[in-house]
Amino acid sequence: MSWYRMKRGGGGKRRLPVAIQAERWMPLLRRLRKGLLYAGGALLVLFMAAFGFLYYLRVQALPASSVSQTSQMLDLQGRVIDTFHAGENRQSVPLKQISPYLVEATLAIEDRRFYDHLGFDMKGMARAAVVNLEHLSREQGASTVTQQLARNLYLTHERTWSRKLKEAMYTIQLEMHYSKDEILSMYLNQIYYGHGAYGAEAASELYFGKHASELTLAESAMLAGIPKGPKYYSPYMDMKNAKDRQRTILQTMADQGIILQADAKAAGAQLLSFVPLGSSKQAGMAPYFRDYIRYVAVDKLGIDEHLLSEGGIRIYTTLDPEAQRAAEEAVASGIPAGSEQQAALVSIDPRTGYVKAMVGGRDYKTNQYNRVFATTRQPGSSFKPILYLTALQQGALTPVSQFKSAPTVFTYDDGRKTYAPSNYNSKYTNGLIDMRQAIASSDNIYAVNSIMKVGPQNVIDMARKLGIDSPMKPLPSLALGTFPVSPFEMASAFGTFANGGVRIEPTAILRIEDGKGEVLYEAKPAAVPVVDAAHAYVLTSLMESVFDTGGTGNRVSAMIKRPVAGKTGTTATDAWLVGYTPELATAVWVGYDKGRKLTPAEAHRAAPIFAAYTEQALAAVPPKIFPLPDGVVSVYVDPESGKLAGKTCPNRRLETFVSGTQPVEVCGAHGDAGDAAAGSDDAKREQTSSWWKQLKRWWSN
């Protein structure tokens, strides 16, 4: 066989072409199979790693959010009257309390596929990449609502790979831990809308002075455009930019079929009304009351300042907005605009102890000093009811006990010292007067005689029971209110008279809740009996004479269409009227901060403020008489002698007594025991029918 034949395979068995090809591909196939095994293993490891990573993210808690929440102060009706925040105004509300227009506008412009993706919008990212490549710049972003929320809640806005990685992790975790509605709610409650406002509720109040639930389509589209760049799209900064952005959002909503094209056009053409910056509801009302609430919450209840400013707590208060408006109006109209004279008013519901209204001065912006709590002003004669209650409770005096109204020198301290008080304008009757006459005319000589009889220390003890803590000394001058007492203390003390002798601790904060609704504090005001109801009622009956003819409050009696008791007080530098109805106990003070002397006209301004406030605050409340307790009797007396008056007595007065303290001796000049008995029966009949007569008299004033 030739060499050629041998090389060609001749002379031996010829191999098949398929076998030859298979033999050639076998090593490649073996390597491919090995590669596939490695790849499958790698994919399996990668899948297990991804599963493990996702499981880790699922069980791993999200970091604590550093977002602060605005704390709120609410009035007695549950309406927000002020907020506390440290530079950031945040108010969280449920998603259902945000206008659907704002929700739809936000999703339309920020994340149209929010409810379809799992935290990352792949279509949006691809579209943004194409647009950015076409313009060779970053024209569009593709961050979803969830990504923005993760960044705002847990991260800074620095542009680093580590931050982007963390953002992706937190985005996944948010989608794992929360529903779509919960994520959207968190987003709309924390997004920044400019000018310190975080969240839809705060922004709605700031720009439009209304709740987020009340936003219209046009207002919602305006707000939805601001977060992209508050400096550029705030209507306060650039109205043209804001309006262009609003119309872009409206058109986007129309393109997505959310609203009709006609609605988009109409909303874009609408002229919006914005609240002037700095004058929205967030500026707060009742500023002196607000400061008092902060003081009570922090200094008395121990609420942490950081929690108050950034913890999103809610403080439910006793403030009555109608009463507060009436108080502010009464003070504003009660003193001429150009006067430097100051005023303070505080009003408490004697039945509950709730502080209903508080005005600490005439202009909070220029002077934040709250004169309601000033312990530097003498109450003058407005303090006398505390003295007379002490005398009645002791049984030392009754309404017909008499002293001579004439210049008198009193000795005390075992005769080592003397005290010579005088009446206002040196006016005296120079005859005997009883307690009703003394209260109505504010006779100082009668008051000092009374304190000498009952003892100054006993009066101080009574004042302490009534809630007055200001320093006092057991001196005869105490009867004339020479030791300073705050208007707040006076209102609280008189509230005890109105509440049948039971003192309810003044309350301004009803409840404090944290951001989750958990109760941090709940008020449980103490009710302490100070005197029995009969003695409190007799004092009230005597103090009603202040507004009768001849009384120091008579000049405003025509302004008040309801039963009222009170007491005026005047010193050289201070003027007061402290009084009450069954529903409100109110103290009004007027004077000068620097203790300047008052003119007669300036001293007469407290009473009209009290009257105007009382009528306006109770305008919707029918007039009520003071409840008549057990243990009270009414009999006719002769004012001249203080004895029982017979039917033929020409000068008879119906007087109220604690049962057992009424006079038993009949005035010898006008009748006998039979006349007195008949007169007593007349008194009972008149007392039975007097309530309707009194109401008619008050109504006709």
Side-chain angles (χ1 to χ4, degrees):
M1 182 181 296
S2 67
W3 174 84
Y4 176 78
R5 290 281 306 264
M6 291 179 63
K7 192 172 182 178
R8 296 277 300 181
K13 189 175 179 180
R14 187 175 181 181
R15 300 178 65 185
L16 296 172
V18 174
I20 296 172
Q21 293 298 323
E23 185 177 347
R24 291 178 178 177
W25 283 101
M26 282 303 294
L28 181 61
L29 290 174
R30 284 194 293 269
R31 288 196 297 272
L32 180 60
R33 184 177 63 180
K34 188 175 182 181
L36 289 173
L37 289 174
Y38 284 144
L43 287 174
L44 179 61
V45 171
L46 183 62
F47 174 79
M48 293 178 64
F51 179 81
F53 178 67
L54 291 174
Y55 179 76
Y56 168 79
L57 292 180
R58 181 67 181 85
V59 299
Q60 188 73 13
L62 282 160
S65 169
S66 60
V67 172
S68 64
Q69 291 289 326
T70 297
S71 296
Q72 298 177 331
M73 181 176 77
L74 302 96
D75 64 22
L76 193 58
Q77 299 175 6
R79 296 180 296 193
V80 176
I81 55 177
D82 205 357
T83 58
F84 302 105
H85 52 84
E88 295 183 359
N89 179 15
R90 298 180 185 268
Q91 298 179 51
S92 293
V93 294
L95 187 62
K96 62 183 180 181
Q97 292 183 19
I98 298 175
S99 169
Y101 289 128
L102 180 58
V103 174
E104 294 288 0
T106 300
L107 291 180
I109 199 65
E110 295 290 344
D111 191 353
R112 62 182 299 184
R113 279 180 283 274
F114 171 73
Y115 282 98
D116 299 325
H117 61 64
L118 298 177
F120 303 95
D121 185 1
M122 299 305 179
K123 292 182 179 179
M125 294 170 66
R127 183 187 67 252
V130 171
V131 172
N132 293 338
L133 283 174
E134 288 178 352
H135 293 83
L136 298 178
S137 64
R138 194 176 186 278
E139 294 289 325
Q140 288 188 9
S143 292
T144 64
V145 161
T146 313
Q147 287 176 277
Q148 293 180 52
L149 179 63
R151 182 165 60 248
N152 293 333
L153 286 179
Y154 311 119
L155 300 166
T156 65
H157 288 261
E158 60 180 347
R159 295 176 179 273
T160 63
W161 285 108
S162 62
R163 196 273 293 165
K164 290 182 179 296
L165 179 60
K166 289 180 180 179
E167 178 186 308
M169 292 171 55
Y170 295 148
T171 297
I172 296 171
Q173 285 184 277
L174 283 171
E175 291 282 346
M176 287 179 169
H177 285 82
Y178 298 101
S179 68
K180 285 291 187 178
D181 283 350
E182 289 172 332
I183 292 172
L184 185 56
S185 177
M186 287 189 287
Y187 176 83
L188 288 171
N189 275 300
Q190 65 79 42
I191 196 67
Y192 184 52
Y193 287 90
H195 308 286
Y198 288 78
E201 180 72 7
S204 181
E205 294 280 7
L206 174 72
Y207 290 98
F208 301 109
K210 60 172 64 174
H211 294 297
S213 60
E214 302 168 338
L215 291 171
T216 65
L217 173 60
E219 292 167 342
S220 296
M222 176 64 72
L223 282 189
I226 297 174
K228 179 178 176 64
K231 291 183 179 180
Y232 303 101
Y233 299 114
S234 164
Y236 296 131
M237 304 297 289
D238 192 320
M239 181 58 76
K240 183 180 184 305
N241 285 349
K243 197 66 181 175
D244 289 344
R245 176 75 171 161
Q246 177 209 37
R247 287 170 176 156
T248 297
I249 292 173
L250 289 168
Q251 186 59 51
T252 301
M253 295 176 72
D255 292 342
Q256 295 177 14
I258 300 171
I259 59 175
L260 298 175
Q261 183 65 48
D263 294 333
K265 185 177 181 180
Q270 184 178 340
L271 183 63
L272 298 180
S273 177
F274 296 96
V275 175
L277 191 61
S279 62
S280 69
K281 294 178 183 178
Q282 300 308 322
M285 65 175 291
Y288 293 100
F289 182 79
R290 176 202 64 200
D291 288 352
Y292 176 60
I293 291 298
R294 177 184 284 273
Y295 160 74
V296 172
V298 175
D299 292 3
K300 288 194 172 184
L301 303 182
I303 299 298
D304 184 79
E305 287 259 23
H306 180 77
L307 182 63
L308 180 65
S309 298
E310 304 180 31
I313 66 174
R314 289 192 165 199
I315 303 178
Y316 294 85
T317 76
T318 60
L319 188 78
D320 183 330
E322 298 301 326
Q324 180 65 27
R325 276 189 285 272
E328 293 175 355
E329 291 173 5
V331 169
S333 61
I335 299 177
S339 174
E340 295 181 1
Q341 189 177 12
Q342 279 294 344
L345 184 154
V346 59
S347 191
I348 299 173
D349 187 333
R351 303 163 298 183
T352 60
Y354 290 0
V355 179
K356 306 296 283 293
M358 181 182 293
V359 178
R362 295 179 61 205
D363 189 353
Y364 180 83
K365 292 181 180 179
T366 59
N367 191 325
Q368 292 79 47
Y369 178 57
N370 193 343
R371 296 156 188 85
V372 164
F373 298 98
T375 55
T376 58
R377 318 309 303 222
Q378 295 179 357
S381 295
S382 65
F383 185 81
K384 290 176 182 175
I386 298 171
L387 159 65
Y388 294 132
L389 180 63
T390 307
L392 292 171
Q393 180 78 354
Q394 283 186 358
L397 299 175
T398 74
V400 293
S401 296
Q402 295 181 334
F403 294 109
K404 186 176 181 179
S405 174
T408 307
V409 177
F410 297 89
T411 60
Y412 65 102
D413 194 16
D414 295 328
R416 290 188 291 267
K417 296 179 181 179
T418 62
Y419 178 56
S422 61
N423 279 348
Y424 183 70
N425 286 339
S426 297
K427 291 183 178 180
Y428 307 92
T429 64
N430 290 309
L432 294 175
I433 61 172
D434 59 24
M435 189 180 292
R436 183 175 292 277
Q437 294 168 310
I439 290 176
S441 63
S442 199
D443 192 277
N444 290 339
I445 307 303
Y446 189 100
V448 177
N449 270 302
S450 299
I451 201 170
M452 297 299 289
K453 191 170 183 65
V454 303
Q457 186 57 53
N458 290 325
V459 178
I460 293 176
D461 293 342
M462 176 62 74
R464 299 290 180 245
K465 293 177 183 178
L466 293 169
I468 296 177
D469 298 322
S470 296
M472 298 176 186
K473 293 182 180 180
L475 300 174
S477 62
L478 175 66
L480 308 186
T482 54
F483 293 96
V485 178
S486 72
F488 188 83
E489 291 173 308
M490 292 297 289
S492 176
F494 277 49
T496 303
F497 308 157
N499 196 40
V502 178
R503 179 176 184 267
I504 309 294
E505 182 182 4
T507 301
I509 296 178
L510 294 174
R511 187 173 72 259
I512 300 178
E513 297 178 355
D514 64 14
K516 298 179 181 179
E518 297 292 331
V519 177
L520 303 178
Y521 165 80
E522 189 162 11
K524 296 178 180 179
V528 180
V530 176
V531 296
D532 61 82
H535 286 103
Y537 181 84
V538 169
L539 179 65
T540 295
S541 174
L542 293 169
M543 292 170 64
E544 287 182 285
S545 294
V546 169
F547 298 95
D548 290 339
T549 302
T552 56
N554 177 61
R555 62 186 179 276
V556 298
S557 62
M559 299 174 61
I560 305 176
K561 308 295 185 181
R562 61 188 64 243
V564 61
K567 187 69 188 74
T568 59
T570 306
T571 71
T573 58
D574 306 280
W576 299 67
L577 200 155
V578 188
Y580 53 93
T581 67
E583 306 88 0
L584 289 177
T586 305
V588 175
W589 165 87
V590 297
Y592 288 92
D593 287 338
K594 296 182 180 180
R596 192 173 102 189
K597 288 187 177 181
L598 298 176
T599 66
E602 291 170 339
H604 288 162
R605 289 170 180 163
I609 292 174
F610 171 87
Y613 163 74
T614 300
E615 271 305 301
Q616 184 60 35
L618 297 175
V621 179
K624 294 184 179 69
I625 60 173
F626 292 100
L628 179 67
D630 294 333
V632 173
V633 296
S634 294
V635 297
Y636 280 104
V637 298
D638 173 24
E640 291 184 7
S641 65
K643 299 177 182 180
L644 286 175
K647 290 187 70 173
T648 59
C649 179
N651 189 15
R652 305 165 76 224
R653 186 182 80 204
L654 186 65
E655 189 56 82
T656 303
F657 296 88
V658 174
S659 183
T661 67
Q662 69 269 29
V664 294
E665 185 179 355
V666 181
C667 178
H670 302 299
D672 54 22
D675 289 340
S680 179
D681 292 338
D682 289 345
K684 291 179 181 178
R685 285 192 294 271
E686 182 165 336
Q687 184 180 13
T688 302
S689 62
S690 64
W691 310 129
W692 172 244
K693 293 179 180 178
Q694 289 181 28
L695 283 175
K696 287 175 66 178
R697 177 172 62 85
W698 284 311
W699 186 257
S700 63
N701 277 346

